[in-house]
Amino acid sequence: MEAGDRPARLTVGVLGAGKVGSALGAALAQAGHRIAAASGVSDNSQRWAADRLGVKPSRPDEVVAAAQLILLTVPDDALPDLVNGLATTGADLHGKLLVHTSGAYGLSVLEPAAKAGALPLALHPVMTFTGRDDDLNKLTGISYGVTAPDVLRPIAEALVIEMGGEPVWIADADRALYHAALAGAANHMVTLIAESQELLGRIGVEHPGRMLGPLLGAALDNVLRLGIAGLTGPVVRGDAGTVRKHVDALILAAPEAADAYIALARLTADRALAAGLLKPEEAERLLDALGGNIWT
C-alpha cells in the first residue's frame, strides 16, 4: 500500500478480539473490508472472534501474516510488549497498517514496528464498550482521537469515516492529557454515580437510579451546552453551611466518599471563582467549611 492512498478493501487482522477489537473489526467488515484472522486469550475474545468477526482464533503471527491492516486492541499496559514482540520476532510488517486503539498512547509506542516498515496509526474510539451486543451500534457518530504521520492522515480519516465516526486530530505529545480528560469524565462519573446510588440505597431509597436519572441528565445537558456556567448547587451558591453538613454526614457514613467530596468541592469552588460565579468572600466561607485552601 502506498502511504498516501485512500484504503481500498483490505484484509484485516485483529490482535486482541475483546470488547473493542471485536466491535471495530465488525465495523470494518460492515464497511466492506474482510476480516482475515483474529487472536484472543480469554474465552470471551475467542467467542467474539467466531461470533462477531466470523473467524476461528489464530496465533498472533498468523494474524499478522494474513492481514494488510492489523488492529492492536489489547490493554494499554500490554501494548508496548506486543509491538516490541512483533518487531523483534521478524513478523512481516512492511507496508502494513498497524493501528492501535489506545487513548493514552500516540505513535511512539509503534516506533519499533514502524522501523520494520509498518505504517503506524493511533485511532482511539471515544466510547465505552461493555462486551454487549449493542457495542457495534455505539460506534455511529462518535469521535475518534486520531494521531498519524502527515502522509497517513488521509488513510486514518477514511478508516474512521468508514466506521461511522468523526476523526479529531490529537498531537502525539498531547495524548496523555487527552486521555486523562476523557477518563476523568467518563470513568470517575461512573464511580461518583455508583457511590450516590449506594448512599441513597442505605437510607431506603428503593430506586436510586430512577431518582438520579432526570437530575443527572439535566446536569449533563447543562455542562455540555454551557460549560462551567451550567453549574448549580450549594458550592456555586456559596452555601458553606450546607457543604459542611454534607461533609459531616459523609464522614460518618462513608469516609472515603467524604475525601472525594472535599476534593471535588474545592475544584468546583476554584472553577466557579475563576469564572466569576462565586464571590471571594463566599469562597472564603467555603474554604473554612472544607477545611483547606483552594488557592494552594
Side-chain angles (χ1 to χ4, degrees):
M1 170 180 292
E2 294 298 325
D5 288 348
R6 179 185 176 87
R9 299 309 89 189
L10 301 170
T11 53
V12 177
V14 182
L15 291 178
K19 299 173 183 177
V20 179
S22 61
L24 296 188
L28 288 169
Q30 283 190 353
H33 303 287
R34 182 175 68 85
I35 307 299
S39 68
V41 176
S42 70
D43 291 341
N44 279 336
S45 294
Q46 295 183 19
R47 176 169 56 84
W48 287 328
D51 294 348
R52 296 182 177 182
L53 304 179
V55 295
K56 294 181 179 179
S58 303
R59 298 193 314 268
D61 61 315
E62 294 172 332
V63 174
V64 173
Q68 298 166 304
L69 184 158
I70 304 157
L71 282 178
L72 307 182
T73 44
V74 297
D76 288 354
D77 287 350
L79 184 59
D81 287 343
L82 174 60
V83 175
N84 286 326
L86 293 176
T88 58
T89 56
D92 183 11
L93 299 173
H94 186 75
K96 296 188 176 186
L97 290 165
L98 200 62
V99 181
H100 81 68
T101 59
S102 167
Y105 285 107
L107 297 179
S108 60
V109 72
L110 298 175
E111 187 173 346
K115 289 180 178 178
L119 305 176
L121 298 176
L123 308 180
H124 173 245
V126 185
M127 179 48 61
T128 179
F129 297 89
T130 62
R132 299 184 349 180
D133 290 340
D134 64 349
D135 277 350
L136 182 58
N137 298 331
K138 296 178 180 178
L139 295 176
T140 301
I142 70 169
S143 297
Y144 284 71
V146 179
T147 305
D150 287 344
V151 72
L152 295 179
R153 283 172 68 116
I155 293 176
E157 184 175 51
L159 288 170
V160 169
I161 292 172
E162 284 183 338
M163 289 187 287
E166 177 184 355
V168 179
W169 303 101
I170 306 296
D172 196 67
D174 293 334
R175 292 289 291 203
L177 186 58
Y178 152 80
H179 195 236
L182 297 178
N187 302 157
H188 297 166
M189 178 183 69
V190 171
T191 303
L192 287 170
I193 295 172
E195 185 73 20
S196 294
Q197 288 179 305
E198 182 177 329
L199 292 171
L200 289 170
R202 287 190 198 179
I203 61 171
V205 176
E206 189 172 353
H207 300 290
R210 188 182 301 171
M211 175 179 282
L212 288 167
L215 172 66
L216 297 176
L220 181 60
D221 180 67
N222 285 344
V223 69
L224 292 179
R225 287 189 301 108
L226 304 172
I228 195 66
L231 181 64
T232 63
V235 170
V236 75
R237 291 194 300 264
D239 290 341
T242 297
V243 168
R244 187 66 238 180
K245 288 180 181 179
H246 292 176
V247 172
D248 290 341
L250 288 169
I251 287 173
L252 292 175
E256 68 285 353
D259 291 339
Y261 180 98
I262 290 169
L264 287 172
R266 288 179 179 175
L267 180 59
T268 302
D270 189 32
R271 294 295 302 272
L273 186 63
L277 303 175
L278 188 66
K279 296 177 181 178
E281 59 271 22
E282 294 171 334
E284 290 292 345
R285 290 195 294 271
L286 285 168
L287 292 178
D288 291 338
L290 294 169
N293 194 328
I294 60 175
W295 291 302
T296 58

